[in-house]
Amino acid sequence: MGDAGEGLIDAESRIQERMEDLERERAHTRVHTLGPEERRALEAQLGPGTHERRRVQIEQALAELDRRMAAVEGLTAEGVSVPTKG
């Protein structure tokens, strides 16, 4: 019985270590999202001096970035490892 108990304790400690590793990875791979003030500042740069076609391109790029960040956050929430550069 002693060996089985030790095996269980070892398995529990490995599980705990793996959970800690996953949490560190999640914290490391979290993507910075724009807060309300940062978004307003960015939108202010798209003021009246910006050409309309350029404004549309920038808005589409921001929408695409938001979509990709949501997809990555969804994958990491499910526990899927997302490769990072570095």
Side-chain angles (χ1 to χ4, degrees):
M1 179 86 173
D3 290 339
E6 288 178 24
L8 180 60
I9 291 171
D10 289 342
E12 287 177 350
S13 66
R14 284 194 306 270
I15 290 171
Q16 183 63 35
E17 287 176 12
R18 180 65 180 143
M19 290 173 63
E20 290 170 359
D21 290 344
L22 288 172
E23 182 57 34
R24 273 194 298 274
E25 287 177 16
R26 285 185 190 125
H28 178 66
T29 59
R30 287 199 178 115
V31 180
H32 175 73
T33 57
L34 294 177
E37 291 181 16
E38 292 171 314
R39 185 169 284 281
R40 271 188 240 116
L42 183 59
E43 289 171 353
Q45 292 178 11
L46 298 175
T50 304
H51 192 276
E52 186 59 32
R53 263 195 253 166
R54 181 68 180 140
R55 179 191 313 264
V56 170
Q57 287 176 335
I58 293 172
E59 289 173 354
Q60 289 173 344
L62 288 173
E64 177 67 12
L65 287 173
D66 288 341
R67 185 191 64 76
R68 288 184 183 189
M69 289 187 323
V72 168
E73 288 172 357
L75 289 176
T76 57
E78 294 174 5
V80 176
S81 179
V82 178
T84 58
K85 293 183 179 180

